[in-house]
PDB file of all heavy atoms in Angstrom:
ATOM      1  N   GLU N   1     217.574 118.672 111.863  1.00 74.00           N
ATOM      2  CA  GLU N   1     217.928 118.355 110.484  1.00 74.00           C
ATOM      3  C   GLU N   1     219.362 118.739 110.118  1.00 74.00           C
ATOM      4  O   GLU N   1     220.094 117.969 109.530  1.00 74.00           O
ATOM      5  CB  GLU N   1     216.949 119.055 109.548  1.00 74.00           C
ATOM      6  CG  GLU N   1     216.904 118.496 108.162  1.00 74.00           C
ATOM      7  CD  GLU N   1     215.742 119.080 107.414  1.00 74.00           C
ATOM      8  OE1 GLU N   1     214.649 118.511 107.489  1.00 74.00           O
ATOM      9  OE2 GLU N   1     215.933 120.118 106.766  1.00 74.00           O
ATOM     10  N   GLY N   2     219.822 119.935 110.467  1.00 73.00           N
ATOM     11  CA  GLY N   2     221.153 120.368 110.062  1.00 73.00           C
ATOM     12  C   GLY N   2     222.175 120.366 111.179  1.00 73.00           C
ATOM     13  O   GLY N   2     223.189 121.048 111.075  1.00 73.00           O
ATOM     14  N   PHE N   3     221.927 119.595 112.236  1.00 72.00           N
ATOM     15  CA  PHE N   3     222.806 119.641 113.398  1.00 72.00           C
ATOM     16  C   PHE N   3     224.201 119.112 113.080  1.00 72.00           C
ATOM     17  O   PHE N   3     225.198 119.762 113.338  1.00 72.00           O
ATOM     18  CB  PHE N   3     222.178 118.848 114.551  1.00 72.00           C
ATOM     19  CG  PHE N   3     223.009 118.833 115.795  1.00 72.00           C
ATOM     20  CD1 PHE N   3     223.047 119.932 116.622  1.00 72.00           C
ATOM     21  CD2 PHE N   3     223.765 117.723 116.131  1.00 72.00           C
ATOM     22  CE1 PHE N   3     223.816 119.933 117.774  1.00 72.00           C
ATOM     23  CE2 PHE N   3     224.533 117.709 117.276  1.00 72.00           C
ATOM     24  CZ  PHE N   3     224.558 118.819 118.095  1.00 72.00           C
ATOM     25  N   TRP N   4     224.286 117.922 112.504  1.00 79.00           N
ATOM     26  CA  TRP N   4     225.596 117.300 112.276  1.00 79.00           C
ATOM     27  C   TRP N   4     226.371 117.989 111.170  1.00 79.00           C
ATOM     28  O   TRP N   4     227.593 117.917 111.131  1.00 79.00           O
ATOM     29  CB  TRP N   4     225.428 115.817 111.971  1.00 79.00           C
ATOM     30  CG  TRP N   4     224.860 115.080 113.136  1.00 79.00           C
ATOM     31  CD1 TRP N   4     223.618 114.553 113.245  1.00 79.00           C
ATOM     32  CD2 TRP N   4     225.509 114.812 114.383  1.00 79.00           C
ATOM     33  NE1 TRP N   4     223.448 113.976 114.471  1.00 79.00           N
ATOM     34  CE2 TRP N   4     224.595 114.120 115.189  1.00 79.00           C
ATOM     35  CE3 TRP N   4     226.772 115.095 114.890  1.00 79.00           C
ATOM     36  CZ2 TRP N   4     224.901 113.701 116.465  1.00 79.00           C
ATOM     37  CZ3 TRP N   4     227.076 114.674 116.168  1.00 79.00           C
ATOM     38  CH2 TRP N   4     226.154 113.988 116.944  1.00 79.00           C
ATOM     39  N   LYS N   5     225.669 118.670 110.278  1.00 84.00           N
ATOM     40  CA  LYS N   5     226.346 119.367 109.191  1.00 84.00           C
ATOM     41  C   LYS N   5     227.165 120.549 109.718  1.00 84.00           C
ATOM     42  O   LYS N   5     228.228 120.860 109.206  1.00 84.00           O
ATOM     43  CB  LYS N   5     225.295 119.850 108.173  1.00 84.00           C
ATOM     44  CG  LYS N   5     225.869 120.572 106.988  1.00 84.00           C
ATOM     45  CD  LYS N   5     224.786 120.901 105.975  1.00 84.00           C
ATOM     46  CE  LYS N   5     223.888 121.975 106.536  1.00 84.00           C
ATOM     47  NZ  LYS N   5     222.908 122.469 105.592  1.00 84.00           N
ATOM     48  N   HIS N   6     226.656 121.200 110.757  1.00 82.00           N
ATOM     49  CA  HIS N   6     227.319 122.383 111.309  1.00 82.00           C
ATOM     50  C   HIS N   6     228.209 122.072 112.514  1.00 82.00           C
ATOM     51  O   HIS N   6     228.793 122.988 113.095  1.00 82.00           O
ATOM     52  CB  HIS N   6     226.275 123.427 111.713  1.00 82.00           C
ATOM     53  CG  HIS N   6     225.425 123.884 110.581  1.00 82.00           C
ATOM     54  ND1 HIS N   6     225.923 124.617 109.541  1.00 82.00           N
ATOM     55  CD2 HIS N   6     224.110 123.711 110.323  1.00 82.00           C
ATOM     56  CE1 HIS N   6     224.958 124.894 108.685  1.00 82.00           C
ATOM     57  NE2 HIS N   6     223.846 124.333 109.140  1.00 82.00           N
ATOM     58  N   LEU N   7     228.321 120.810 112.893  1.00 83.00           N
ATOM     59  CA  LEU N   7     229.087 120.449 114.083  1.00 83.00           C
ATOM     60  C   LEU N   7     230.582 120.776 113.974  1.00 83.00           C
ATOM     61  O   LEU N   7     231.149 121.291 114.943  1.00 83.00           O
ATOM     62  CB  LEU N   7     228.879 118.972 114.418  1.00 83.00           C
ATOM     63  CG  LEU N   7     229.501 118.505 115.723  1.00 83.00           C
ATOM     64  CD1 LEU N   7     228.867 119.231 116.896  1.00 83.00           C
ATOM     65  CD2 LEU N   7     229.348 117.010 115.883  1.00 83.00           C
ATOM     66  N   PRO N   8     231.260 120.533 112.846  1.00 90.00           N
ATOM     67  CA  PRO N   8     232.695 120.881 112.808  1.00 90.00           C
ATOM     68  C   PRO N   8     232.953 122.381 112.988  1.00 90.00           C
ATOM     69  O   PRO N   8     233.861 122.760 113.742  1.00 90.00           O
ATOM     70  CB  PRO N   8     233.145 120.405 111.415  1.00 90.00           C
ATOM     71  CG  PRO N   8     232.158 119.377 111.016  1.00 90.00           C
ATOM     72  CD  PRO N   8     230.873 119.775 111.645  1.00 90.00           C
ATOM     73  N   MET N   9     232.164 123.220 112.338  1.00 91.00           N
ATOM     74  CA  MET N   9     232.351 124.670 112.492  1.00 91.00           C
ATOM     75  C   MET N   9     232.015 125.112 113.915  1.00 91.00           C
ATOM     76  O   MET N   9     232.721 125.939 114.492  1.00 91.00           O
ATOM     77  CB  MET N   9     231.485 125.423 111.487  1.00 91.00           C
ATOM     78  CG  MET N   9     231.629 126.920 111.575  1.00 91.00           C
ATOM     79  SD  MET N   9     233.297 127.503 111.269  1.00 91.00           S
ATOM     80  CE  MET N   9     233.332 127.471 109.514  1.00 91.00           C
ATOM     81  N   ALA N  10     230.955 124.547 114.485  1.00 87.00           N
ATOM     82  CA  ALA N  10     230.597 124.891 115.864  1.00 87.00           C
ATOM     83  C   ALA N  10     231.684 124.446 116.837  1.00 87.00           C
ATOM     84  O   ALA N  10     232.015 125.164 117.786  1.00 87.00           O
ATOM     85  CB  ALA N  10     229.260 124.256 116.227  1.00 87.00           C
ATOM     86  N   GLY N  11     232.266 123.271 116.608  1.00 88.00           N
ATOM     87  CA  GLY N  11     233.363 122.819 117.457  1.00 88.00           C
ATOM     88  C   GLY N  11     234.587 123.709 117.349  1.00 88.00           C
ATOM     89  O   GLY N  11     235.250 123.994 118.354  1.00 88.00           O
ATOM     90  N   LEU N  12     234.890 124.159 116.138  1.00 94.00           N
ATOM     91  CA  LEU N  12     236.025 125.058 115.945  1.00 94.00           C
ATOM     92  C   LEU N  12     235.797 126.391 116.657  1.00 94.00           C
ATOM     93  O   LEU N  12     236.687 126.892 117.366  1.00 94.00           O
ATOM     94  CB  LEU N  12     236.260 125.290 114.451  1.00 94.00           C
ATOM     95  CG  LEU N  12     237.395 126.235 114.088  1.00 94.00           C
ATOM     96  CD1 LEU N  12     238.733 125.623 114.479  1.00 94.00           C
ATOM     97  CD2 LEU N  12     237.365 126.561 112.611  1.00 94.00           C
ATOM     98  N   VAL N  13     234.604 126.953 116.517  1.00 93.00           N
ATOM     99  CA  VAL N  13     234.299 128.226 117.188  1.00 93.00           C
ATOM    100  C   VAL N  13     234.315 128.048 118.706  1.00 93.00           C
ATOM    101  O   VAL N  13     234.838 128.889 119.440  1.00 93.00           O
ATOM    102  CB  VAL N  13     232.938 128.780 116.697  1.00 93.00           C
ATOM    103  CG1 VAL N  13     232.485 129.952 117.543  1.00 93.00           C
ATOM    104  CG2 VAL N  13     233.023 129.184 115.231  1.00 93.00           C
ATOM    105  N   GLY N  14     233.784 126.932 119.192  1.00 88.00           N
ATOM    106  CA  GLY N  14     233.804 126.666 120.627  1.00 88.00           C
ATOM    107  C   GLY N  14     235.220 126.511 121.165  1.00 88.00           C
ATOM    108  O   GLY N  14     235.556 127.021 122.237  1.00 88.00           O
ATOM    109  N   ALA N  15     236.080 125.817 120.407  1.00 93.00           N
ATOM    110  CA  ALA N  15     237.477 125.660 120.840  1.00 93.00           C
ATOM    111  C   ALA N  15     238.200 126.996 120.845  1.00 93.00           C
ATOM    112  O   ALA N  15     239.006 127.271 121.750  1.00 93.00           O
ATOM    113  CB  ALA N  15     238.185 124.666 119.926  1.00 93.00           C
ATOM    114  N   MET N  16     237.919 127.851 119.864  1.00 95.00           N
ATOM    115  CA  MET N  16     238.536 129.183 119.844  1.00 95.00           C
ATOM    116  C   MET N  16     238.088 130.016 121.041  1.00 95.00           C
ATOM    117  O   MET N  16     238.899 130.729 121.649  1.00 95.00           O
ATOM    118  CB  MET N  16     238.202 129.901 118.535  1.00 95.00           C
ATOM    119  CG  MET N  16     238.975 129.360 117.353  1.00 95.00           C
ATOM    120  SD  MET N  16     238.495 130.014 115.737  1.00 95.00           S
ATOM    121  CE  MET N  16     238.171 131.704 116.029  1.00 95.00           C
ATOM    122  N   MET N  17     236.811 129.920 121.393  1.00 92.00           N
ATOM    123  CA  MET N  17     236.319 130.674 122.549  1.00 92.00           C
ATOM    124  C   MET N  17     236.946 130.176 123.845  1.00 92.00           C
ATOM    125  O   MET N  17     237.311 130.977 124.714  1.00 92.00           O
ATOM    126  CB  MET N  17     234.785 130.584 122.626  1.00 92.00           C
ATOM    127  CG  MET N  17     234.088 131.373 121.547  1.00 92.00           C
ATOM    128  SD  MET N  17     232.306 131.161 121.561  1.00 92.00           S
ATOM    129  CE  MET N  17     231.871 131.809 123.138  1.00 92.00           C
ATOM    130  N   VAL N  18     237.089 128.866 123.985  1.00 90.00           N
ATOM    131  CA  VAL N  18     237.728 128.315 125.182  1.00 90.00           C
ATOM    132  C   VAL N  18     239.186 128.759 125.255  1.00 90.00           C
ATOM    133  O   VAL N  18     239.687 129.128 126.330  1.00 90.00           O
ATOM    134  CB  VAL N  18     237.598 126.775 125.191  1.00 90.00           C
ATOM    135  CG1 VAL N  18     238.511 126.148 126.224  1.00 90.00           C
ATOM    136  CG2 VAL N  18     236.164 126.372 125.450  1.00 90.00           C
ATOM    137  N   ALA N  19     239.892 128.754 124.105  1.00 93.00           N
ATOM    138  CA  ALA N  19     241.289 129.190 124.096  1.00 93.00           C
ATOM    139  C   ALA N  19     241.408 130.672 124.456  1.00 93.00           C
ATOM    140  O   ALA N  19     242.311 131.065 125.196  1.00 93.00           O
ATOM    141  CB  ALA N  19     241.901 128.924 122.718  1.00 93.00           C
ATOM    142  N   GLU N  20     240.488 131.492 123.943  1.00 92.00           N
ATOM    143  CA  GLU N  20     240.503 132.919 124.293  1.00 92.00           C
ATOM    144  C   GLU N  20     240.266 133.134 125.778  1.00 92.00           C
ATOM    145  O   GLU N  20     240.957 133.932 126.418  1.00 92.00           O
ATOM    146  CB  GLU N  20     239.433 133.671 123.499  1.00 92.00           C
ATOM    147  CG  GLU N  20     239.817 134.030 122.106  1.00 92.00           C
ATOM    148  CD  GLU N  20     238.758 134.874 121.437  1.00 92.00           C
ATOM    149  OE1 GLU N  20     238.198 135.767 122.109  1.00 92.00           O
ATOM    150  OE2 GLU N  20     238.496 134.640 120.257  1.00 92.00           O
ATOM    151  N   MET N  21     239.271 132.448 126.330  1.00 87.00           N
ATOM    152  CA  MET N  21     238.986 132.614 127.756  1.00 87.00           C
ATOM    153  C   MET N  21     240.148 132.130 128.615  1.00 87.00           C
ATOM    154  O   MET N  21     240.490 132.768 129.614  1.00 87.00           O
ATOM    155  CB  MET N  21     237.698 131.875 128.117  1.00 87.00           C
ATOM    156  CG  MET N  21     236.454 132.578 127.619  1.00 87.00           C
ATOM    157  SD  MET N  21     234.946 131.860 128.244  1.00 87.00           S
ATOM    158  CE  MET N  21     234.720 130.528 127.106  1.00 87.00           C
ATOM    159  N   ALA N  22     240.759 131.011 128.225  1.00 88.00           N
ATOM    160  CA  ALA N  22     241.904 130.509 128.987  1.00 88.00           C
ATOM    161  C   ALA N  22     243.078 131.471 128.893  1.00 88.00           C
ATOM    162  O   ALA N  22     243.769 131.718 129.889  1.00 88.00           O
ATOM    163  CB  ALA N  22     242.298 129.126 128.481  1.00 88.00           C
ATOM    164  N   GLY N  23     243.305 132.042 127.706  1.00 88.00           N
ATOM    165  CA  GLY N  23     244.387 133.019 127.554  1.00 88.00           C
ATOM    166  C   GLY N  23     244.156 134.272 128.371  1.00 88.00           C
ATOM    167  O   GLY N  23     245.081 134.796 129.005  1.00 88.00           O
ATOM    168  N   LEU N  24     242.921 134.771 128.369  1.00 82.00           N
ATOM    169  CA  LEU N  24     242.606 135.956 129.179  1.00 82.00           C
ATOM    170  C   LEU N  24     242.755 135.667 130.668  1.00 82.00           C
ATOM    171  O   LEU N  24     243.270 136.488 131.420  1.00 82.00           O
ATOM    172  CB  LEU N  24     241.192 136.442 128.876  1.00 82.00           C
ATOM    173  CG  LEU N  24     241.008 137.177 127.567  1.00 82.00           C
ATOM    174  CD1 LEU N  24     239.534 137.452 127.307  1.00 82.00           C
ATOM    175  CD2 LEU N  24     241.775 138.485 127.586  1.00 82.00           C
ATOM    176  N   LEU N  25     242.296 134.487 131.067  1.00 79.00           N
ATOM    177  CA  LEU N  25     242.413 134.120 132.478  1.00 79.00           C
ATOM    178  C   LEU N  25     243.875 133.983 132.882  1.00 79.00           C
ATOM    179  O   LEU N  25     244.278 134.445 133.948  1.00 79.00           O
ATOM    180  CB  LEU N  25     241.650 132.821 132.731  1.00 79.00           C
ATOM    181  CG  LEU N  25     241.493 132.378 134.167  1.00 79.00           C
ATOM    182  CD1 LEU N  25     240.701 133.406 134.945  1.00 79.00           C
ATOM    183  CD2 LEU N  25     240.825 131.036 134.229  1.00 79.00           C
ATOM    184  N   TRP N  26     244.688 133.376 132.032  1.00 81.00           N
ATOM    185  CA  TRP N  26     246.109 133.226 132.341  1.00 81.00           C
ATOM    186  C   TRP N  26     246.809 134.575 132.369  1.00 81.00           C
ATOM    187  O   TRP N  26     247.640 134.828 133.228  1.00 81.00           O
ATOM    188  CB  TRP N  26     246.761 132.311 131.316  1.00 81.00           C
ATOM    189  CG  TRP N  26     248.221 132.132 131.568  1.00 81.00           C
ATOM    190  CD1 TRP N  26     249.245 132.725 130.909  1.00 81.00           C
ATOM    191  CD2 TRP N  26     248.810 131.346 132.600  1.00 81.00           C
ATOM    192  NE1 TRP N  26     250.440 132.349 131.443  1.00 81.00           N
ATOM    193  CE2 TRP N  26     250.202 131.493 132.492  1.00 81.00           C
ATOM    194  CE3 TRP N  26     248.297 130.535 133.588  1.00 81.00           C
ATOM    195  CZ2 TRP N  26     251.080 130.849 133.340  1.00 81.00           C
ATOM    196  CZ3 TRP N  26     249.181 129.893 134.426  1.00 81.00           C
ATOM    197  CH2 TRP N  26     250.551 130.052 134.306  1.00 81.00           C
ATOM    198  N   ARG N  27     246.468 135.472 131.407  1.00 79.00           N
ATOM    199  CA  ARG N  27     247.111 136.783 131.365  1.00 79.00           C
ATOM    200  C   ARG N  27     246.719 137.630 132.572  1.00 79.00           C
ATOM    201  O   ARG N  27     247.526 138.375 133.110  1.00 79.00           O
ATOM    202  CB  ARG N  27     246.711 137.505 130.078  1.00 79.00           C
ATOM    203  CG  ARG N  27     247.582 138.699 129.785  1.00 79.00           C
ATOM    204  CD  ARG N  27     247.148 139.389 128.533  1.00 79.00           C
ATOM    205  NE  ARG N  27     246.516 140.624 128.958  1.00 79.00           N
ATOM    206  CZ  ARG N  27     245.567 141.250 128.316  1.00 79.00           C
ATOM    207  NH1 ARG N  27     245.094 140.768 127.222  1.00 79.00           N
ATOM    208  NH2 ARG N  27     245.067 142.356 128.768  1.00 79.00           N
ATOM    209  N   THR N  28     245.492 137.494 133.002  1.00 75.00           N
ATOM    210  CA  THR N  28     245.018 138.291 134.132  1.00 75.00           C
ATOM    211  C   THR N  28     245.635 137.821 135.437  1.00 75.00           C
ATOM    212  O   THR N  28     246.062 138.629 136.261  1.00 75.00           O
ATOM    213  CB  THR N  28     243.488 138.219 134.229  1.00 75.00           C
ATOM    214  OG1 THR N  28     242.942 138.643 132.985  1.00 75.00           O
ATOM    215  CG2 THR N  28     242.962 139.115 135.321  1.00 75.00           C
ATOM    216  N   THR N  29     245.697 136.527 135.633  1.00 72.00           N
ATOM    217  CA  THR N  29     246.145 136.015 136.928  1.00 72.00           C
ATOM    218  C   THR N  29     247.623 135.664 136.943  1.00 72.00           C
ATOM    219  O   THR N  29     248.204 135.533 138.011  1.00 72.00           O
ATOM    220  CB  THR N  29     245.345 134.764 137.307  1.00 72.00           C
ATOM    221  OG1 THR N  29     245.552 133.764 136.292  1.00 72.00           O
ATOM    222  CG2 THR N  29     243.876 135.073 137.436  1.00 72.00           C
ATOM    223  N   ARG N  30     248.246 135.466 135.788  1.00 74.00           N
ATOM    224  CA  ARG N  30     249.656 135.067 135.665  1.00 74.00           C
ATOM    225  C   ARG N  30     249.948 133.802 136.464  1.00 74.00           C
ATOM    226  O   ARG N  30     250.978 133.672 137.120  1.00 74.00           O
ATOM    227  CB  ARG N  30     250.606 136.183 136.115  1.00 74.00           C
ATOM    228  CG  ARG N  30     250.490 137.431 135.343  1.00 74.00           C
ATOM    229  CD  ARG N  30     251.272 137.293 134.063  1.00 74.00           C
ATOM    230  NE  ARG N  30     251.290 138.612 133.416  1.00 74.00           N
ATOM    231  CZ  ARG N  30     251.216 138.768 132.133  1.00 74.00           C
ATOM    232  NH1 ARG N  30     251.140 137.754 131.345  1.00 74.00           N
ATOM    233  NH2 ARG N  30     251.241 139.970 131.613  1.00 74.00           N
ATOM    234  N   GLY N  31     248.979 132.900 136.426  1.00 58.00           N
ATOM    235  CA  GLY N  31     249.175 131.631 137.113  1.00 58.00           C
ATOM    236  C   GLY N  31     248.867 131.671 138.591  1.00 58.00           C
ATOM    237  O   GLY N  31     248.946 130.651 139.249  1.00 58.00           O
ATOM    238  N   ALA N  32     248.532 132.825 139.134  1.00 59.00           N
ATOM    239  CA  ALA N  32     248.216 132.914 140.563  1.00 59.00           C
ATOM    240  C   ALA N  32     246.823 132.328 140.809  1.00 59.00           C
ATOM    241  O   ALA N  32     245.954 132.390 139.949  1.00 59.00           O
ATOM    242  CB  ALA N  32     248.254 134.373 141.013  1.00 59.00           C
TER     243      ALA N  32
END
């Protein structure tokens, strides 16, 4: 029932989590 109503906020939170994980991975490995 409320799936599409919460999709923009869920997408924003998911994109933030992906950006955080990518930043941590880049900082840890420095591109190696």
Side-chain angles (χ1 to χ4, degrees):
E1 199 169 271
F3 180 77
W4 296 109
K5 181 175 70 174
H6 300 292
L7 186 63
M9 180 60 81
L12 179 67
V13 170
M16 286 173 39
M17 289 175 62
V18 167
E20 279 185 41
M21 286 189 277
L24 284 173
L25 188 62
W26 179 257
R27 194 181 107 209
T28 304
T29 60
R30 299 279 188 217

